[in-house]
Amino acid sequence: MFLDAAGNPVEGLSTRHAKAAGIPGEPAGWAHLASNYGRLPLSVSLEPAIRLARKVRARRTDAARLRRVIRDEGLDTTADPSFARVFLVKGGVPPVGHRIRQPELARSSKCWRQVVRTRSYRGPFAKKLVAGVQSLGGIWTIEDLAGYRVIEREPIVTTYRGLRVVSAPPPSSGACGSPPS
């Protein structure tokens, strides 16, 4: 999937392209954590963030920081019209103090709440996610979203210089298996 016709890796395809996007596990993960380990229902924990997303209609940009992110990540700002619409001004990095407006963020909070409640991606929101990723060349399907499940893995535990170190295991979408031969 990340190789050209001759079998050579295509620079950036596995890191900065929609084909590299994984199904976002955070909402389902939050629901899992809240129901298995939390003291409050997740709806209560998320309410301040949802309220803030509705209330905050714009924020001032840090143009220097945005420039660095675009440069350091090698972002192709022309590849995604919605990125350009939200973050750029006349195709360029906005001036310091420009307000970024994200009304979709507030509207999507209701959709995320549905994902969190059901621990699955279904309905119009799932269709919109898939359409967005596919429009950029990604390969998500409605079935991929509907089939997403939380898998709780054992942490990695070791000792170092007499100290017990507990760390997260490698992510399921990478750092596993053997390198290609």
Side-chain angles (χ1 to χ4, degrees), residues 76-92 101 104 131-137:
D76 177 4
T77 58
T78 63
D80 182 358
S82 60
F83 175 87
R85 180 178 44 78
V86 171
F87 293 104
L88 304 181
V89 174
K90 296 180 182 173
R101 301 189 189 287
E104 295 91 353
V133 169
Q134 288 183 355
S135 74
L136 297 171

Side-chain angles (χ1 to χ4, degrees), residues 6 10 14-16 25 46 49 66 79 84 90 96 99 107 113-114 119 129 133-134 152 164 170 176 179 181:
V10 176
S14 67
T15 56
R16 295 186 307 263
L46 286 179
L66 183 56
K90 296 180 182 173
V96 174
R99 289 191 180 270
R107 285 193 300 270
R113 191 182 294 166
Q114 167 73 18
R119 295 189 197 181
L129 286 173
V133 169
Q134 288 183 355
E152 192 169 338
R164 183 173 185 241
C176 297
S181 50

Side-chain angles (χ1 to χ4, degrees), residues 143-165:
E143 293 76 21
D144 293 331
L145 288 173
Y148 183 85
R149 299 291 178 264
V150 172
I151 298 172
E152 192 169 338
R153 292 189 166 82
E154 290 294 319
I156 294 173
V157 181
T158 189
T159 56
Y160 178 74
R161 295 187 177 182
L163 298 172
R164 183 173 185 241
V165 179

